[in-house]
Amino acid sequence: MAIGTLGHALLGLLAQRECTGYELTRTFDESLAHVWPTKHSQIYPELAKLQAAGLIRQSGSGARGSKTYAATAEGLEEVRRWMRDTIPSESVRTERMLRVFFLWLLPPNEASTYLREIGGRHRERLARYEAIAAIIPSDDPEDRMGRIAIEAGIRYESAMADWASWAVEEIAKSAS
Amino acid sequence: MAIGTLGHALLGLLAQRECTGYELTRTFDESLAHVWPTKHSQIYPELAKLQAAGLIRQSGSGARGSKTYAATAEGLEEVRRWMRDTIPSESVRTERMLRVFFLWLLPPNEASTYLREIGGRHRERLARYEAIAAIIPSDDPEDRMGRIAIEAGIRYESAMADWASWAVEEIAKSAS
DNA sequence: TTATTACATGTAAACAATTACATGTCAAGT
DNA sequence: ACTTGACATGTAATTGTTTACATGTAATAA
């Protein structure tokens, strides 16, 4: 019963503060899904697995049948070991970028439309990330790592938005 | 027997030129794996599926039992339809970036080590992509889209390498 | 001639992720 | 009283992905 990436991510969130499965699901949807998409249908069974492995424990229960989980000492140990001693997979999977390799299949105007659309999505996310970054107090040491994580998002979205604009122009250039 | 993203990617490659399963595997390993990792054990059954669906046909056979496949008219139609009429999944999955959210679990010096290491990997790939971009003749319209795809890689790796360096300094700042 | 490496294709088992199904609670507004 | 929406947790079936198993060919170098 080995713990995978999702299990370690849940452990990492529960190391910060105790949460219900629902709260974990929302945290994934709101921020972690940008780097590791997951559904509640995967989270709940994974929590059961982590509990069975003694890495988390149910620390309480609230309204509407909600259950609060907290990381155990073993769980904290395990997530630290994962961060320290294991090599992250290099693999990145993104259908949006995959399709760029096949843009030559479309007439130039449709390729441009595709690029403008993905540029727009990158700009949207960039705006959202910048708004989040703006409200993180930069002097609080607790939030410093959070600021570093969001900065990665900002730079990524910004670079990809610029790239998309550049690519549209590049296509326009050769069409003339 | 619906065709998924991998099937469309194979169709896209075969739309460009006929290939053996082995060649397709190598193309994935060398360039497409950066956006859509796949193993030969998934490629061969997928080719069989595409052939059964009439989207590709075996166009020849060579040494060592190799089989060459080519896209059929229906296959070309299908991959164009996919590019034009379907919305790409927004999902991106990257364990490297996921771990950034849990960097606070490590002492600052270990977090810095992690960031330096991933910065190094980004710089490595950046150098490789730049070398590839340098040998693409920029005036050949055939390669224009290839140049656009590699530019995305260059900007991505460059942005992430810069981010990693910035993050290391950010941690150093607060440690003092 | 023999060992190694790259070429070449497959299948099976295990694991991970998505989609669909299924149920029920509680609060707020109408 | 009723409806809607957010809260809350699960399971089942399907699909996608990885790892391990399995086999054989051709070229090159020692």
Side-chain angles (χ1 to χ4, degrees), chain A residues 136-151, chain B residues 100 103-104 108 163 166-176:
Chain A
I136 293 177
S138 59
D139 52 342
D140 185 347
E142 276 272 304
D143 290 314
R144 192 164 309 114
M145 286 302 179
R147 185 64 188 70
I148 285 174
I150 198 96
E151 181 73 16
Chain B
V100 171
L103 238 33
W104 62 269
W163 164 79
W166 169 85
V168 168
E169 273 184 48
E170 203 66 10
I171 289 172
K173 244 193 265 175
S174 54
S176 61

Side-chain angles (χ1 to χ4, degrees), chain B residues 2 4 6 36-42 49 63-64:
Chain B
L6 174 63
W36 201 266
T38 304
K39 305 287 147 80
H40 77 274
S41 55
Q42 206 181 357
K49 245 176 68 176
R64 296 167 213 170

Side-chain angles (χ1 to χ4, degrees), chain A residues 4 31 38 40 46 52 54 63 66 79 104 125 136 144 170 172 174:
Chain A
S31 61
T38 303
H40 76 274
E46 192 68 31
S66 73
V79 68
W104 62 270
R125 271 197 297 270
I136 293 177
R144 192 164 309 114
E170 203 66 12
S174 53

Side-chain angles (χ1 to χ4, degrees), chain A residues 4 6 36-42 49 63-64:
Chain A
L6 173 63
W36 201 267
T38 303
K39 306 285 147 83
H40 76 274
S41 55
Q42 206 181 356
K49 245 175 70 176
R64 295 166 212 171

Side-chain angles (χ1 to χ4, degrees), chain A residues 48-69:
Chain A
K49 245 175 70 176
L50 291 170
Q51 189 178 24
L55 301 172
I56 63 172
R57 70 193 161 79
Q58 195 187 322
S59 60
S61 54
R64 295 166 212 171
S66 73
K67 299 174 186 174
T68 307
Y69 293 96

Side-chain angles (χ1 to χ4, degrees), chain A residues 87-153:
Chain A
I87 299 162
S89 159
E90 284 299 302
S91 110
V92 176
R93 198 180 288 277
T94 151
E95 191 184 327
R96 244 189 353 248
M97 279 301 148
L98 173 68
R99 291 194 185 204
V100 171
F101 285 86
F102 305 116
L103 239 31
W104 62 270
L105 284 161
L106 299 178
N109 66 312
E110 287 179 19
S112 291
T113 300
Y114 180 81
L115 290 165
R116 263 190 293 267
E117 200 189 299
I118 77 175
R121 287 191 194 279
H122 284 299
R123 275 189 299 275
E124 263 176 44
R125 271 197 297 270
L126 175 59
R128 259 192 290 141
Y129 293 170
E130 278 175 337
I132 293 164
I135 59 168
I136 293 177
S138 59
D139 52 342
D140 185 347
E142 276 272 304
D143 290 314
R144 192 164 309 114
M145 286 302 179
R147 185 64 188 70
I148 285 174
I150 198 96
E151 181 73 16

